[in-house]
Structure formats: structure tokens, C-alpha cells
Amino acid sequence: MILAGDIGGTKTNLALYEWTNGRVEPVREDSFHSADYKTLEDIVEEFLSTPLAKPAIEGDEEQESGDSAPGSDTEADEATPEPIRVAAACFGVAGPVIDNRCRTTNLPWVIEGATLAERFAIPQVRLLNDLEATAHGLLLLTPDEIVVLNAGAPPKKKQALALIAAGTGLGECILCWDGTRYRPMPSEGGHTDFAPNSDTEIELLRHLRGSYLHVSYERIVSGPGLHAVYEYLRDTKKNEPTWLAEKIKVGNPAAEIAEAGLKGQAEIAKQALDLFATIYGAEAGNLALKALTLDGVYVAGGIAPKLLTKLQDGSFMRGFTNKGRYKRLMTQIPVKVVMNDKTALLGAASMAAQLTSSHSS
């Protein structure tokens, strides 16, 4: 049995797998609100403390009908279920992982592989940056889990891929081709300096500098970032409807803004989505240029599938291709949206499975 985890600023997903040679469905999976827990260990403890349901075996019908006598072996087994034994675990964590340790960016946690291994008696525990885990999962996706934004014209000889994912934060990763397979390279590129490309974006930067000394792309291209873009428009254009202001106060701001914008219910929300999608595309294009990822750029994370219709209307690709003399090159790079929101979990599981196979060999 292997344990996989996707540790995000908003939620933590954990799953158990009987993984041997290829992608399989989880034996059990659960999601936890990260901020409700003081440590990752508390979440893992709660997850592993629930025993697995026993598979149905021949003769269960008779036992259920009361044919087994009190005090029988069957009754004893049900009273004392076997603890879950985990052979290896891998966790994708939103933050920089150094020496199998991570101080999370959007949570007050310090996660250490050695501590997890000792506490839960797991022989091998590996931490990955969450986008590195997503990159491993990316290689296991099926065509129906991906939507094409730009078909492009990739070269015949394999080059490199890029992965960018907005959610609670903004993650980025590069996948280098080594001649045999793609190798994910972790990155914290989402924290690089935001570079405006229009007068409106210059004013947005000025507005954000009133709150932050350093304005990164994550301050804009993320769930909280969409809210920040909306607040800039609200404070400068003064066109916020009262009904939307009330919904934002009591609900999830990014979700409320996205819904109002996608449904065309409020002009300010539509403008916020336009800015958000354009800047998202611009940073995706920056990443593609820096690594020359001619094989394609994948847009993952929790936000992209929810804003798919917005990403498809051209604003994202306009930002992506707006690179001056390199516009023609940018149009040749495939751009695709990852629709499976459990890709990071899938990637973490594949790496945990590799740990068990390397250990046994």
C-alpha cells in the first residue's frame, strides 16, 4: 500500500493506492480543509486511523445473516481491524522542497519527510514541490482529461514542456527531455516580478504596490489574485454593483467574481476576468520563452477548469503570444488545459510507487 498527498494552501488531498505497474484508481481518498489543522501530521493521523473496508469474500452473506456465533474469529476480526501498513509515501507540497523538507508558502507548516516516516512507520517518504508532483501526473493523463487551447506546431524532435497552475497560489514547472523521458524540474517562478504590458496593467501594479512591496505574478494569477484585480477595478472605476459586493462579503470572493463574470452579470467582473486571463497567458508565455518549451505548455490547477470558457475566448492566448518579435514562434507552441484536478495526487502516487519498486530491487 502506498500513500499519496497533494498539500495545498486551501485543501489537502490524501489517497491510498495498491499501485504496481501503472495508473490505478485509489483504494481510498479524502480531502481536508488545510487551515483546520495545525500540521500535516494531524491530517495523516486522521486519515490513516480509519481502517480500510474489507473486500467482500465468499460466505459474507451467511455471516451478515447472523450464522456466525458470538465470539467467533469473524467477530474478533471485525472488532480489531488491521492497521494500515504503508510501504512508501509521497507528498506534493505547495512550497520549495529542500533536503526533503518544506516550509509551506500559504500555510504556517513545516513538513519534514523524516518526521512523517518516523511517526507513521513508513519506510520511505518523499516530498516534492506540488507542481513537480503535478508534472509527474501530467505524463499519466489520458486525452479526454485535456482540452486544447492552441494546437500549435511542435517540432518532430522532442524538446521541453512547461506547466503552470493557478489556485491558492501560482505554481510553475519545466519538464526537460533527456532523450528517453521528461524530467520535471521544480520551480518557484510564480513569485517572480509582475511585468505589466499595458497602461491598465501599469495602474494595477501601482495599486498593488500600495499593499505589497514586492508584487509577484502570484499576487494576480491566483484565487486571491483575481479578488485583488477586482478590488483594483472597484477602487478605480467605481462600478461595483451592490448585490455583488454583498455576495463577495459572505462568500468566496474569487468564486463569486468568476461566476458573475462568466455569466455576464456584472461588467466589473467581466473586466476582472479579462485582465486575469490576459496576465495568466502572458506569464505562461514568459515561462515558455525562458525554457523554450516547444513541445507545449500545460495549464493546470484548480482555477483553469472552472474558467475554461474564459480561457477559450482568446484573451489568454493574446497574452501568451504578445511577445513582440517572437509572436510567430509563440503561436507554434501547443497550449492545453488539464481538466483532472487530481493530477498532483496522481503524480505523487506514481513517485511513491517508484520508491517501493526501487527499494525492493
Side-chain angles (χ1 to χ4, degrees):
M1 188 76 68
I2 61 170
L3 172 63
D6 176 21
I7 319 303
T10 300
K11 64 181 179 180
T12 291
N13 295 320
L14 297 180
L16 289 166
Y17 296 83
E18 289 283 8
W19 192 300
T20 52
N21 299 319
R23 175 178 172 177
V24 296
E25 292 301 310
V27 176
R28 191 174 81 215
E29 181 181 342
D30 207 349
S31 185
F32 304 83
H33 190 254
S34 301
D36 291 344
Y37 297 83
K38 293 182 178 179
T39 66
L40 174 60
E41 287 89 337
D42 292 342
I43 297 178
V44 175
E45 178 76 39
E46 182 176 324
F47 181 71
L48 293 180
S49 65
T50 303
L52 292 172
K54 290 187 176 182
I57 58 175
E58 189 175 348
D60 277 354
E61 292 81 1
E62 289 81 357
Q63 293 172 8
E64 288 176 2
S65 63
D67 290 348
S68 58
S72 66
D73 290 342
T74 301
E75 186 178 81
D77 288 344
E78 291 175 352
T80 57
E82 288 188 12
I84 298 171
R85 292 183 174 86
V86 177
C90 181
F91 301 92
V93 186
V97 175
I98 301 172
D99 295 330
N100 215 29
R101 180 181 187 271
C102 179
R103 184 179 296 276
T104 55
T105 305
N106 295 308
L107 287 169
W109 293 357
V110 174
I111 303 172
E112 296 182 332
T115 301
L116 288 161
E118 181 179 1
R119 176 164 173 179
F120 300 105
I122 303 174
Q124 298 186 87
V125 175
R126 182 176 177 185
L127 304 184
L128 300 175
N129 172 264
D130 59 337
L131 261 288
E132 187 180 0
T134 304
H136 284 290
L138 186 70
L139 304 175
L140 299 170
L141 296 179
T142 57
D144 64 320
E145 294 174 307
I146 293 168
V147 173
V148 176
L149 287 186
N150 183 55
K156 293 180 181 179
K157 187 177 179 180
K158 289 190 175 180
Q159 303 288 316
L161 290 168
L163 174 65
I164 187 167
T168 305
L170 178 64
E172 299 183 0
C173 183
I174 297 162
L175 293 85
C176 298
W177 179 254
D178 68 0
T180 304
R181 63 189 180 95
Y182 287 107
R183 291 185 176 272
M185 305 287 289
S187 162
E188 287 299 330
H191 296 277
T192 56
D193 310 334
F194 167 56
N197 279 300
S198 67
D199 290 342
T200 299
E201 291 179 17
I202 290 171
E203 291 305 317
L204 171 62
L205 175 59
R206 289 197 177 110
H207 176 84
L208 291 173
R209 278 182 57 80
S211 301
Y212 308 107
L213 291 176
H214 175 247
V215 180
S216 66
Y217 273 97
E218 181 173 282
R219 294 296 187 189
I220 298 168
V221 186
S222 62
L226 177 57
H227 189 204
V229 171
Y230 176 90
E231 289 181 318
Y232 155 70
L233 294 170
R234 177 198 66 195
D235 294 346
T236 56
K237 296 184 180 296
K238 311 294 183 183
N239 62 339
E240 180 184 41
T242 303
W243 65 266
L244 183 53
E246 291 301 319
K247 290 191 75 172
I248 289 172
K249 281 182 183 179
V250 299
N252 179 312
E256 298 295 349
I257 294 163
E259 181 181 12
L262 291 173
K263 292 181 177 178
Q265 295 172 330
E267 185 61 28
I268 185 175
K270 290 166 60 179
Q271 293 168 354
L273 288 183
D274 282 340
L275 257 179
F276 179 89
T278 302
I279 295 170
Y280 199 170
E283 176 57 1
N286 291 341
L287 182 61
L289 277 179
K290 288 174 182 176
L292 205 60
T293 58
L294 302 181
D295 281 0
V297 174
Y298 285 81
V299 185
I303 291 178
K306 297 172 185 174
L307 296 186
L308 181 62
T309 55
K310 183 61 197 174
L311 299 182
Q312 291 174 318
D313 74 1
S315 51
F316 182 95
M317 287 306 302
R318 280 192 293 273
F320 185 85
T321 59
N322 184 27
K323 304 301 180 190
R325 291 170 292 173
Y326 278 81
K327 181 173 183 178
R328 182 177 179 182
L329 174 67
M330 300 306 291
T331 61
Q332 296 175 345
I333 298 176
V335 180
K336 303 174 183 180
V337 177
V338 175
M339 300 302 291
N340 185 340
D341 63 355
K342 299 296 174 60
T343 304
L345 195 64
L346 189 63
S350 72
M351 293 307 295
Q354 289 186 34
L355 290 175
T356 58
S357 61
S358 61
H359 182 68
S360 60
S361 60

Tab-separated table of all heavy atoms in Angstrom, residues 73-112:
chain	number	residue	atom	x	y	z
A	73	ASP	N	-14.126	-16.123	15.240
A	73	ASP	CA	-12.993	-15.411	14.659
A	73	ASP	C	-13.457	-14.235	13.821
A	73	ASP	O	-12.816	-13.183	13.771
A	73	ASP	CB	-12.149	-16.353	13.789
A	73	ASP	CG	-11.404	-17.376	14.637
A	73	ASP	OD1	-11.265	-17.136	15.849
A	73	ASP	OD2	-10.971	-18.407	14.077
A	74	THR	N	-14.609	-14.408	13.141
A	74	THR	CA	-15.135	-13.332	12.298
A	74	THR	C	-15.455	-12.101	13.125
A	74	THR	O	-15.129	-10.980	12.779
A	74	THR	CB	-16.403	-13.800	11.563
A	74	THR	OG1	-16.077	-14.925	10.760
A	74	THR	CG2	-16.958	-12.680	10.696
A	75	GLU	N	-16.087	-12.335	14.270
A	75	GLU	CA	-16.457	-11.223	15.143
A	75	GLU	C	-15.208	-10.536	15.687
A	75	GLU	O	-15.125	-9.312	15.771
A	75	GLU	CB	-17.311	-11.748	16.292
A	75	GLU	CG	-17.876	-10.637	17.179
A	75	GLU	CD	-18.751	-11.189	18.282
A	75	GLU	OE1	-18.185	-11.638	19.302
A	75	GLU	OE2	-19.981	-11.184	18.112
A	76	ALA	N	-14.187	-11.304	15.998
A	76	ALA	CA	-12.955	-10.742	16.531
A	76	ALA	C	-12.256	-9.889	15.480
A	76	ALA	O	-11.728	-8.814	15.758
A	76	ALA	CB	-12.016	-11.864	16.998
A	77	ASP	N	-12.265	-10.376	14.217
A	77	ASP	CA	-11.633	-9.631	13.142
A	77	ASP	C	-12.297	-8.282	12.942
A	77	ASP	O	-11.640	-7.274	12.693
A	77	ASP	CB	-11.703	-10.427	11.831
A	77	ASP	CG	-10.753	-11.613	11.847
A	77	ASP	OD1	-9.859	-11.624	12.721
A	77	ASP	OD2	-10.924	-12.516	10.999
A	78	GLU	N	-13.637	-8.266	13.050
A	78	GLU	CA	-14.372	-7.022	12.858
A	78	GLU	C	-14.109	-6.045	13.996
A	78	GLU	O	-14.112	-4.836	13.820
A	78	GLU	CB	-15.864	-7.312	12.740
A	78	GLU	CG	-16.220	-8.048	11.443
A	78	GLU	CD	-17.691	-8.427	11.394
A	78	GLU	OE1	-18.361	-8.246	12.424
A	78	GLU	OE2	-18.135	-8.906	10.340
A	79	ALA	N	-13.863	-6.559	15.194
A	79	ALA	CA	-13.647	-5.708	16.354
A	79	ALA	C	-12.247	-5.088	16.338
A	79	ALA	O	-12.049	-3.988	16.829
A	79	ALA	CB	-13.846	-6.503	17.638
A	80	THR	N	-11.271	-5.823	15.788
A	80	THR	CA	-9.900	-5.333	15.769
A	80	THR	C	-9.354	-5.341	14.337
A	80	THR	O	-8.616	-6.249	13.949
A	80	THR	CB	-8.998	-6.194	16.676
A	80	THR	OG1	-9.091	-7.560	16.234
A	80	THR	CG2	-9.429	-6.090	18.110
A	81	PRO	N	-9.750	-4.368	13.533
A	81	PRO	CA	-9.272	-4.321	12.148
A	81	PRO	C	-7.763	-4.099	12.098
A	81	PRO	O	-7.180	-3.458	12.977
A	81	PRO	CB	-10.022	-3.124	11.566
A	81	PRO	CG	-10.347	-2.272	12.743
A	81	PRO	CD	-10.594	-3.214	13.872
A	82	GLU	N	-7.138	-4.635	11.082
A	82	GLU	CA	-5.703	-4.485	10.933
A	82	GLU	C	-5.344	-3.031	10.616
A	82	GLU	O	-6.037	-2.368	9.850
A	82	GLU	CB	-5.198	-5.388	9.813
A	82	GLU	CG	-5.212	-6.872	10.162
A	82	GLU	CD	-4.529	-7.682	9.082
A	82	GLU	OE1	-3.861	-7.077	8.220
A	82	GLU	OE2	-4.664	-8.908	9.109
A	83	PRO	N	-4.271	-2.522	11.212
A	83	PRO	CA	-3.853	-1.157	10.890
A	83	PRO	C	-3.358	-1.064	9.448
A	83	PRO	O	-2.920	-2.061	8.868
A	83	PRO	CB	-2.706	-0.907	11.883
A	83	PRO	CG	-2.190	-2.273	12.213
A	83	PRO	CD	-3.390	-3.175	12.184
A	84	ILE	N	-3.433	0.113	8.901
A	84	ILE	CA	-2.977	0.325	7.530
A	84	ILE	C	-1.451	0.385	7.518
A	84	ILE	O	-0.844	1.194	8.232
A	84	ILE	CB	-3.571	1.627	6.956
A	84	ILE	CG1	-5.097	1.542	6.915
A	84	ILE	CG2	-3.013	1.914	5.567
A	84	ILE	CD1	-5.780	2.845	6.572
A	85	ARG	N	-0.841	-0.483	6.743
A	85	ARG	CA	0.613	-0.501	6.628
A	85	ARG	C	1.006	0.148	5.296
A	85	ARG	O	0.630	-0.338	4.239
A	85	ARG	CB	1.147	-1.928	6.715
A	85	ARG	CG	0.967	-2.561	8.092
A	85	ARG	CD	1.589	-3.955	8.146
A	85	ARG	NE	1.559	-4.504	9.479
A	85	ARG	CZ	0.525	-5.168	9.994
A	85	ARG	NH1	-0.548	-5.371	9.250
A	85	ARG	NH2	0.567	-5.632	11.225
A	86	VAL	N	1.751	1.228	5.394
A	86	VAL	CA	2.145	1.985	4.213
A	86	VAL	C	3.613	1.706	3.901
A	86	VAL	O	4.489	1.898	4.753
A	86	VAL	CB	1.922	3.495	4.431
A	86	VAL	CG1	2.390	4.287	3.222
A	86	VAL	CG2	0.453	3.775	4.725
A	87	ALA	N	3.877	1.248	2.682
A	87	ALA	CA	5.246	0.906	2.286
A	87	ALA	C	6.048	2.139	1.863
A	87	ALA	O	7.265	2.195	2.047
A	87	ALA	CB	5.221	-0.107	1.148
A	88	ALA	N	5.369	3.115	1.288
A	88	ALA	CA	6.041	4.341	0.854
A	88	ALA	C	5.003	5.445	0.705
A	88	ALA	O	3.819	5.169	0.479
A	88	ALA	CB	6.782	4.129	-0.470
A	89	ALA	N	5.461	6.681	0.844
A	89	ALA	CA	4.559	7.826	0.708
A	89	ALA	C	5.254	8.949	-0.034
A	89	ALA	O	6.471	9.120	0.065
A	89	ALA	CB	4.105	8.314	2.086
A	90	CYS	N	4.472	9.693	-0.779
A	90	CYS	CA	4.986	10.868	-1.479
A	90	CYS	C	3.945	11.971	-1.374
A	90	CYS	O	2.748	11.726	-1.581
A	90	CYS	CB	5.292	10.547	-2.936
A	90	CYS	SG	5.974	11.951	-3.854
A	91	PHE	N	4.401	13.173	-1.051
A	91	PHE	CA	3.510	14.311	-0.893
A	91	PHE	C	3.973	15.461	-1.785
A	91	PHE	O	5.133	15.867	-1.729
A	91	PHE	CB	3.496	14.795	0.562
A	91	PHE	CG	3.061	13.760	1.553
A	91	PHE	CD1	3.992	12.939	2.175
A	91	PHE	CD2	1.717	13.595	1.870
A	91	PHE	CE1	3.598	11.979	3.091
A	91	PHE	CE2	1.308	12.640	2.779
A	91	PHE	CZ	2.251	11.828	3.395
A	92	GLY	N	3.064	15.968	-2.603
A	92	GLY	CA	3.321	17.191	-3.347
A	92	GLY	C	2.933	18.367	-2.474
A	92	GLY	O	1.799	18.437	-1.992
A	93	VAL	N	3.864	19.275	-2.227
A	93	VAL	CA	3.662	20.348	-1.252
A	93	VAL	C	3.807	21.708	-1.930
A	93	VAL	O	4.755	21.935	-2.689
A	93	VAL	CB	4.692	20.239	-0.104
A	93	VAL	CG1	4.379	21.260	0.974
A	93	VAL	CG2	4.709	18.832	0.483
A	94	ALA	N	2.868	22.605	-1.642
A	94	ALA	CA	2.909	23.952	-2.217
A	94	ALA	C	3.964	24.787	-1.505
A	94	ALA	O	3.694	25.463	-0.516
A	94	ALA	CB	1.535	24.613	-2.103
A	95	GLY	N	5.182	24.710	-2.027
A	95	GLY	CA	6.300	25.447	-1.449
A	95	GLY	C	7.607	24.825	-1.891
A	95	GLY	O	7.629	23.731	-2.457
A	96	PRO	N	8.724	25.494	-1.629
A	96	PRO	CA	10.025	24.947	-2.027
A	96	PRO	C	10.430	23.773	-1.140
A	96	PRO	O	10.375	23.864	0.090
A	96	PRO	CB	10.973	26.139	-1.849
A	96	PRO	CG	10.313	26.999	-0.819
A	96	PRO	CD	8.836	26.829	-1.012
A	97	VAL	N	10.818	22.668	-1.758
A	97	VAL	CA	11.262	21.487	-1.025
A	97	VAL	C	12.780	21.414	-1.117
A	97	VAL	O	13.347	21.294	-2.208
A	97	VAL	CB	10.626	20.197	-1.588
A	97	VAL	CG1	11.192	18.969	-0.885
A	97	VAL	CG2	9.111	20.251	-1.442
A	98	ILE	N	13.433	21.486	0.032
A	98	ILE	CA	14.896	21.434	0.095
A	98	ILE	C	15.287	20.382	1.121
A	98	ILE	O	14.865	20.444	2.285
A	98	ILE	CB	15.482	22.807	0.479
A	98	ILE	CG1	15.050	23.865	-0.551
A	98	ILE	CG2	17.010	22.742	0.572
A	98	ILE	CD1	15.408	25.286	-0.163
A	99	ASP	N	16.075	19.401	0.698
A	99	ASP	CA	16.508	18.306	1.567
A	99	ASP	C	15.314	17.603	2.211
A	99	ASP	O	15.325	17.309	3.418
A	99	ASP	CB	17.465	18.818	2.653
A	99	ASP	CG	18.775	19.332	2.067
A	99	ASP	OD1	19.186	18.815	1.013
A	99	ASP	OD2	19.368	20.249	2.661
A	100	ASN	N	14.289	17.354	1.405
A	100	ASN	CA	13.099	16.629	1.853
A	100	ASN	C	12.376	17.353	2.993
A	100	ASN	O	11.764	16.720	3.864
A	100	ASN	CB	13.454	15.204	2.291
A	100	ASN	CG	12.354	14.201	1.946
A	100	ASN	OD1	11.612	14.379	0.983
A	100	ASN	ND2	12.245	13.149	2.728
A	101	ARG	N	12.430	18.668	2.955
A	101	ARG	CA	11.799	19.498	3.979
A	101	ARG	C	11.192	20.719	3.301
A	101	ARG	O	11.755	21.256	2.354
A	101	ARG	CB	12.843	19.928	5.017
A	101	ARG	CG	12.324	20.798	6.156
A	101	ARG	CD	13.487	21.147	7.082
A	101	ARG	NE	13.037	21.850	8.282
A	101	ARG	CZ	12.906	23.168	8.377
A	101	ARG	NH1	13.192	23.946	7.311
A	101	ARG	NH2	12.497	23.734	9.494
A	102	CYS	N	10.041	21.155	3.786
A	102	CYS	CA	9.377	22.311	3.182
A	102	CYS	C	8.702	23.180	4.239
A	102	CYS	O	7.993	22.676	5.112
A	102	CYS	CB	8.325	21.849	2.166
A	102	CYS	SG	7.420	23.210	1.376
A	103	ARG	N	8.961	24.466	4.132
A	103	ARG	CA	8.182	25.452	4.890
A	103	ARG	C	7.148	25.986	3.909
A	103	ARG	O	7.492	26.700	2.967
A	103	ARG	CB	9.068	26.575	5.416
A	103	ARG	CG	8.314	27.586	6.296
A	103	ARG	CD	9.261	28.666	6.796
A	103	ARG	NE	10.284	28.133	7.672
A	103	ARG	CZ	10.124	27.922	8.987
A	103	ARG	NH1	8.962	28.211	9.553
A	103	ARG	NH2	11.097	27.442	9.702
A	104	THR	N	5.887	25.630	4.119
A	104	THR	CA	4.854	25.916	3.134
A	104	THR	C	4.631	27.422	2.959
A	104	THR	O	4.744	28.193	3.916
A	104	THR	CB	3.530	25.244	3.505
A	104	THR	OG1	3.159	25.649	4.825
A	104	THR	CG2	3.662	23.732	3.485
A	105	THR	N	4.302	27.810	1.741
A	105	THR	CA	4.168	29.224	1.396
A	105	THR	C	2.891	29.842	1.951
A	105	THR	O	2.903	30.948	2.494
A	105	THR	CB	4.197	29.403	-0.139
A	105	THR	OG1	5.385	28.791	-0.654
A	105	THR	CG2	4.191	30.871	-0.512
A	106	ASN	N	1.770	29.142	1.816
A	106	ASN	CA	0.477	29.707	2.196
A	106	ASN	C	-0.156	29.040	3.409
A	106	ASN	O	-1.352	29.173	3.647
A	106	ASN	CB	-0.480	29.635	0.994
A	106	ASN	CG	-0.017	30.511	-0.158
A	106	ASN	OD1	0.247	31.693	0.031
A	106	ASN	ND2	0.108	29.949	-1.350
A	107	LEU	N	0.672	28.313	4.176
A	107	LEU	CA	0.244	27.700	5.427
A	107	LEU	C	1.379	27.835	6.440
A	107	LEU	O	2.549	27.821	6.053
A	107	LEU	CB	-0.071	26.209	5.232
A	107	LEU	CG	-1.349	25.808	4.495
A	107	LEU	CD1	-1.311	24.315	4.181
A	107	LEU	CD2	-2.588	26.151	5.318
A	108	PRO	N	1.063	27.914	7.744
A	108	PRO	CA	2.126	28.020	8.756
A	108	PRO	C	2.677	26.653	9.158
A	108	PRO	O	2.766	26.319	10.341
A	108	PRO	CB	1.399	28.702	9.924
A	108	PRO	CG	-0.006	28.204	9.823
A	108	PRO	CD	-0.282	28.065	8.343
A	109	TRP	N	3.037	25.860	8.175
A	109	TRP	CA	3.503	24.497	8.428
A	109	TRP	C	4.964	24.332	8.027
A	109	TRP	O	5.432	24.949	7.074
A	109	TRP	CB	2.702	23.472	7.613
A	109	TRP	CG	1.269	23.314	7.973
A	109	TRP	CD1	0.573	23.925	8.970
A	109	TRP	CD2	0.318	22.474	7.297
A	109	TRP	NE1	-0.740	23.529	8.959
A	109	TRP	CE2	-0.931	22.633	7.945
A	109	TRP	CE3	0.403	21.613	6.210
A	109	TRP	CZ2	-2.074	21.957	7.541
A	109	TRP	CZ3	-0.727	20.937	5.802
A	109	TRP	CH2	-1.956	21.104	6.465
A	110	VAL	N	5.643	23.453	8.756
A	110	VAL	CA	6.939	22.938	8.334
A	110	VAL	C	6.765	21.431	8.185
A	110	VAL	O	6.359	20.746	9.122
A	110	VAL	CB	8.051	23.252	9.344
A	110	VAL	CG1	9.357	22.568	8.927
A	110	VAL	CG2	8.262	24.759	9.450
A	111	ILE	N	7.032	20.915	6.992
A	111	ILE	CA	6.822	19.495	6.702
A	111	ILE	C	8.177	18.838	6.460
A	111	ILE	O	8.976	19.342	5.654
A	111	ILE	CB	5.911	19.311	5.474
A	111	ILE	CG1	4.569	20.018	5.700
A	111	ILE	CG2	5.690	17.830	5.181
A	111	ILE	CD1	3.672	20.045	4.467
A	112	GLU	N	8.434	17.739	7.154
A	112	GLU	CA	9.695	17.029	7.008
A	112	GLU	C	9.430	15.560	6.689
A	112	GLU	O	8.674	14.896	7.416
A	112	GLU	CB	10.538	17.144	8.273
A	112	GLU	CG	10.970	18.583	8.580
A	112	GLU	CD	11.850	18.676	9.809
A	112	GLU	OE1	11.709	17.801	10.690
A	112	GLU	OE2	12.676	19.600	9.872
